[in-house]
Amino acid sequence: MGGDRGAAVVVAACKRIAARYPRVKLILVGQQRALEPLVADAGEQLSVLHASEVVAMDESPADAVRRKKDSSMRVAINLVKSGDAAACVSSGNTGALMATAKFVLKTLPGIDRPAIMAELPSTQGRVYLLDVGANSRCDAQQLFQFAVVGSAVVANLQDIAAPRIGLLNIGSEAEKGNDVTREASALLTQSGLNYVGFVEGNDIARHAADVIVTDGFTGNVALKTMEGTASLIAGFLRQSFRHSFAATLQALIARPSLRRLQRQLDPRAYNGASFVGLNGIVVKSHGSADDVAFEHAIETALFEIQDNLPAQIHRWLKSEAA
């Protein structure tokens, strides 16, 4: 029931997933009166589970956890806890979703706080950035935990034996940054992870590391800046090719290349940030996601289910502790 575009977007995305994955069953949790007309023609793969309450986008996480025990968000996460669902996907209030997921599912042993991990395009495939919004302030030990979790996730999703870990900083030199980043760097240097050192903001797109670790405040700013830059470039290209008849003709000739570039820059193709470190799978979609973007968020959850990601992370944490 969350998100800026309403339940119709979510239902449309679910129908697309159902058509592509005939064995998947999707439970739409929310207000029955709003949802049932939207799924009337959907078949048995989609079902509706009524929840009487909705968490507003401006509602405090603490209030959502304490006061709205029958919210669509809480009921959906309870399904994961009970094993009646393998994952939860939501485009609702991020803080409330994180607080509820942590309260209901708990964190994996050895993890203080879950982090939100986003998948981003780069010059050499995809790079993973965490945290992008769950924890605005982190200590060195928490950043180290994010690195361990991120390494486990990318090792499984990308089949990389030892993903390269970078720590986001204002410079690559050892003396740069604050006390927290330098202390986290020392912990990573002493670990068995494939730590490549400090990386800067422009290194994200250059794929200087497979996993880039930072606090949630910095990570969210970096993520939104990259998304805004991608939209800016796409807008400039559209303006350039409409400037004159000759430019329009050039655009027609270059259409295959432009379509490929559009797909690479389209933020919808990277929608779906994972809450990593939880004892269960929760994926956060952008609140502004359309059906294509929300479909990708569901698909992200499907990949994590297939890899049994929480169990894989738990094994990595145990091996790292040993």
Side-chain angles (χ1 to χ4, degrees), residues 2-296:
D4 302 336
R5 303 193 184 202
V9 163
V10 176
V11 174
C14 288
K15 289 178 179 179
R16 294 161 67 105
I17 287 289
R20 293 175 55 204
Y21 299 94
R23 296 178 61 190
V24 170
K25 292 186 177 180
L26 299 143
I27 306 168
L28 292 151
V29 182
Q31 295 178 337
Q32 198 168 16
R33 183 180 298 178
L35 292 172
E36 283 194 336
L38 299 173
V39 301
D41 61 344
E44 295 182 356
Q45 281 180 261
L46 272 64
S47 61
V48 173
L49 180 62
H50 180 65
S52 61
E53 297 173 307
V54 175
V55 175
M57 294 301 279
D58 60 351
E59 198 159 348
S60 80
D63 284 347
V65 172
R66 284 198 305 263
R67 299 178 183 175
K68 292 198 170 175
K69 297 181 180 179
D70 197 46
S71 69
S72 54
M73 189 178 288
R74 179 70 169 266
V75 173
I77 294 172
N78 283 342
L79 292 176
V80 178
K81 174 70 173 179
S82 66
D84 293 308
C88 168
V89 184
S90 172
S91 58
N93 180 319
T94 303
L97 184 67
M98 175 60 81
T100 305
K102 185 179 178 183
F103 178 78
V104 173
L105 299 174
K106 313 304 181 191
T107 57
L108 291 167
I111 296 295
D112 296 333
R113 299 180 184 177
I116 305 177
M117 187 177 74
E119 173 189 324
L120 299 170
S122 76
T123 55
Q124 300 173 51
R126 299 186 175 191
V127 64
Y128 293 80
L129 178 67
L130 77 166
D131 181 20
V132 296
N135 308 281
S136 59
R137 293 183 181 179
C138 301
D139 61 27
Q141 185 63 40
Q142 288 157 354
L143 292 176
F144 174 74
Q145 291 172 5
F146 295 167
V148 174
V149 172
S151 184
V153 172
V154 175
N156 282 279
L157 292 181
Q158 297 296 323
D159 196 24
I160 302 173
R164 296 169 301 147
I165 308 293
L167 192 60
L168 192 62
N169 201 356
I170 58 172
S172 58
E173 299 84 359
E175 70 275 7
K176 289 290 182 71
N178 55 29
D179 291 342
V180 172
T181 54
R182 289 195 295 271
E183 185 182 345
S185 181
L187 291 173
L188 288 165
T189 300
Q190 296 163 11
S191 74
L193 297 172
N194 185 12
Y195 177 55
V196 298
F198 292 139
V199 297
E200 299 180 69
N202 56 359
D203 290 322
I204 299 174
R206 295 175 183 170
H207 207 122
D210 302 302
V211 179
I212 296 178
V213 176
T214 187
D215 61 79
F217 183 91
T218 307
N220 192 268
V221 171
L223 174 67
K224 298 293 175 58
T225 301
M226 290 188 70
E227 290 174 347
T229 302
S231 297
L232 181 68
I233 293 170
F236 281 164
L237 282 172
R238 286 193 295 269
Q239 290 176 17
S240 296
F241 285 118
R242 292 170 182 166
H243 182 67
S244 65
F245 174 77
T248 302
L249 185 60
Q250 290 171 345
L252 290 172
I253 295 170
R255 180 177 289 179
S257 296
L258 290 172
R259 283 180 174 170
R260 184 167 60 252
L261 178 62
Q262 183 181 36
R263 287 194 297 270
Q264 291 172 328
L265 292 176
D266 190 351
R268 298 180 302 176
Y270 303 94
N271 183 47
S274 305
F275 285 9
V276 291
L278 289 170
N279 191 25
I281 296 171
V282 177
V283 174
K284 174 66 173 70
S285 166
H286 272 310
S288 60
D290 63 8
D291 58 326
V292 174
F294 199 88
E295 178 186 6
H296 190 272

